[in-house]
Amino acid sequence: AYLRTRGHRGKTLSTYPYQVGYFIRWLGAQDGDNLKVGMIEANKFMIHLAQRGLSNSGMASYLDALRAFYDFLVVTGRAEKNPFREIPRPKRMRREVRFLTKREVRRLLATAKRIFDLRRYLAIRLLYVTGMRVGELAELRWGDIDITRKRALVRGKTGERYVLLDDITVGLLLKLRKEARFSEKTARVFGVRPQTIREWVRRAGEEAGLGRITPHMLRHSFGTHLIQAGVHERVVQALLGHESIQSTMVYTHVRDEDLREAHKKLFLP
């Protein structure tokens, strides 16, 4: 009933009692039948969970359950304070994203060039040499491309930024524009949805014997290869567009020349 009054619903109503019960049994085994525990016992229990091999999300669930339980004990006068409120919530670990080696990128692009036309090959190439998100690439328009400065304006989910283009990619873009049915400034360069580009990448990966490859893996490879080449993480952050152009430049003091110099260190097949 207490959990319901606190807004808990569904699976929580069965999970929390189980987790609290496990804690009470553990406490009993430690000769600590008294529920008025302090930080030492609370930390010992969390260490115990870690030693059992629980993930960060699993430990966070136990912590939430025990915070709720000891809130209840404090409200009902059975405990003076809630020691689990003093323990930081374990951060959820990010799922590791696979990236391609430079040799694998070379194989992927060589395969894409062999099996696809210019448009599809160029889309896959751009994902790697710019680090664009697949949604950003799908929305790229001819008017966003600055051939003279060898860059393109990208409108991402966190704002606008420029991505840099190498000489070979610039040449391929010029060739594609001559062949394109719609090449006015407002026309999208590739004219397809993100899912279509994902399918192109997937097929190229399978044909190259690399398994299932995704656009995000190419973006991750872009960032990883720059870091491996010694480029500062803040410069890579600016190239990947994790923030708007203005906030990134103000915070990191990254000049356009710095970005261009960093981009030269990227493996460009």
Side-chain angles (χ1 to χ4, degrees):
Y2 175 78
L3 290 176
R4 291 184 184 278
T5 63
R6 304 297 295 178
H8 295 293
R9 298 287 183 273
K11 191 176 179 181
T12 299
L13 297 177
S14 59
T15 301
Y16 278 17
Y18 169 81
Q19 292 170 328
V20 169
Y22 180 85
F23 167 72
I24 292 174
R25 291 192 297 274
W26 173 86
L27 194 62
Q30 309 300 309
D31 295 325
D33 292 319
N34 189 346
L35 290 176
K36 295 181 180 180
V37 301
M39 282 295 299
I40 294 177
E41 292 82 5
N43 276 312
K44 278 185 177 180
F45 180 68
M46 298 306 293
I47 293 172
H48 165 73
L49 294 179
Q51 291 173 339
R52 280 184 57 203
L54 256 68
S55 64
N56 279 15
S57 59
M59 291 175 62
S61 179
Y62 266 92
L63 184 60
D64 290 341
L66 291 168
R67 283 177 175 178
F69 178 58
Y70 271 86
D71 281 346
F72 169 72
L73 294 182
V74 170
V75 168
T76 57
R78 303 181 203 181
E80 295 180 2
K81 61 180 181 179
N82 186 343
F84 291 96
R85 288 287 174 191
E86 303 298 319
I87 298 177
R89 200 168 190 274
K91 293 182 178 179
R92 179 173 293 182
M93 299 297 289
R94 289 187 174 183
R95 184 174 61 183
E96 188 171 325
V97 180
R98 179 187 162 199
F99 67 91
L100 302 179
T101 64
K102 294 177 181 179
R103 180 177 297 179
E104 288 172 331
V105 170
R106 185 182 293 111
R107 192 195 318 172
L108 177 72
L109 293 181
T111 300
K113 191 173 185 178
R114 174 174 55 83
I115 68 174
F116 289 145
D117 59 9
L118 175 60
R119 183 178 64 132
R120 289 180 286 180
Y121 164 68
L122 183 54
I124 296 174
R125 181 184 177 89
L126 275 168
L127 286 171
Y128 173 70
V129 302
T130 66
M132 272 193 278
R133 300 176 178 91
V134 65
E136 295 170 343
L137 182 64
E139 289 300 318
L140 185 67
R141 300 175 189 276
W142 287 113
D144 298 328
I145 300 173
D146 186 337
I147 294 296
T148 303
R149 297 187 178 184
K150 292 187 288 188
R151 67 183 188 179
L153 179 64
V154 173
R155 296 172 178 84
K157 61 182 181 180
T158 55
E160 296 181 344
R161 75 183 187 282
Y162 287 106
V163 296
L164 306 180
L165 306 170
D166 61 287
D167 290 335
I168 295 176
T169 302
V170 167
L172 293 174
L173 282 166
L174 287 171
K175 185 178 179 181
L176 180 64
R177 187 165 190 175
K178 289 181 180 178
E179 299 176 358
R181 291 177 57 193
F182 303 101
S183 59
E184 59 270 19
K185 289 186 176 182
T186 57
R188 290 188 297 162
V189 175
F190 297 101
V192 296
R193 296 178 300 172
Q195 186 55 41
T196 300
I197 299 175
R198 291 190 186 96
E199 181 59 27
W200 294 346
V201 174
R202 182 197 64 76
R203 184 182 165 194
E206 291 178 351
E207 289 284 341
L210 297 172
R212 187 176 183 86
I213 305 298
T214 67
H216 189 66
M217 288 168 61
L218 292 176
R219 174 175 162 82
H220 194 62
S221 301
F222 168 87
T224 301
H225 293 168
L226 286 174
I227 293 293
Q228 290 174 341
V231 177
H232 196 285
E233 291 180 5
R234 290 180 178 175
V235 178
V236 176
Q237 178 186 15
L239 288 170
L240 287 171
H242 290 153
E243 299 178 24
S244 68
I245 294 175
Q246 292 78 9
S247 61
T248 299
M249 294 303 178
V250 169
Y251 176 67
T252 65
H253 308 289
V254 177
R255 300 173 303 163
D256 184 65
E257 297 83 33
D258 296 326
L259 298 180
R260 181 67 64 182
E261 192 61 32
H263 194 256
K264 289 179 181 178
K265 296 183 179 181
L266 183 69
F267 165 67
L268 295 172

